[in-house]
Amino acid sequence: MFNFFQKSTFLILLASSTQTFAQDSIQSDNSWHFKVEPNMMLPHMKGKASVSRLPNVHVSQSPSDFFEHLKFAGMLTFEAENKDWVTTSDIIYASLAANVKKIL
């Protein structure tokens, strides 16, 4: 199993291996241009959470806490543009695993 340092190194290398190119000239045609870019995020949660009428629960999770339970994650930004229009979308997916103890 990867530890936090190995996962962080892998994600940094993956993010740095992708390239984004700036547009060299102003678009004069009305054709569509598409761009898909990977993203990276280090999640951090601190505060209170509640569900329906249940009491608030204090939550404090650092990025290393998330990486301990991370099975798979991915983030992409999609962009489509032409001379008059631009549309973007972010896609985020995460699969986490956790050990849950049954309390009776």
Side-chain angles (χ1 to χ4, degrees):
M1 194 78 187
F2 289 117
N3 64 26
F4 175 72
F5 179 74
Q6 290 171 325
K7 286 182 183 180
S8 299
T9 304
F10 172 75
L11 291 174
I12 290 169
L13 290 174
L14 180 66
S16 65
S17 67
T18 61
Q19 298 179 3
T20 304
F21 299 98
Q23 191 171 353
D24 293 332
S25 62
I26 298 174
Q27 294 179 11
S28 59
D29 62 352
N30 203 25
S31 63
W32 285 91
H33 302 273
F34 302 95
K35 202 180 339 179
V36 177
E37 299 174 332
N39 293 323
M40 190 169 95
M41 175 177 65
L42 293 174
H44 178 81
M45 291 174 38
K46 189 170 187 176
K48 294 180 181 178
S50 65
V51 176
S52 188
R53 296 180 184 158
L54 296 174
N56 288 339
V57 176
H58 179 72
V59 177
S60 180
Q61 299 290 311
S62 68
S64 63
D65 294 330
F66 284 99
F67 283 119
E68 286 178 17
H69 301 288
L70 184 65
K71 291 171 52 180
F72 178 78
M75 289 180 65
L76 289 174
T77 296
F78 174 77
E79 182 178 304
E81 65 176 308
N82 69 6
K83 185 178 178 184
D84 299 321
W85 296 92
V86 175
T87 182
T88 63
S89 179
D90 291 323
I91 300 168
I92 302 170
Y93 176 81
S95 177
L96 302 171
N99 296 327
V100 178
K101 295 179 182 177
K102 196 174 192 180
I103 300 173
L104 293 175

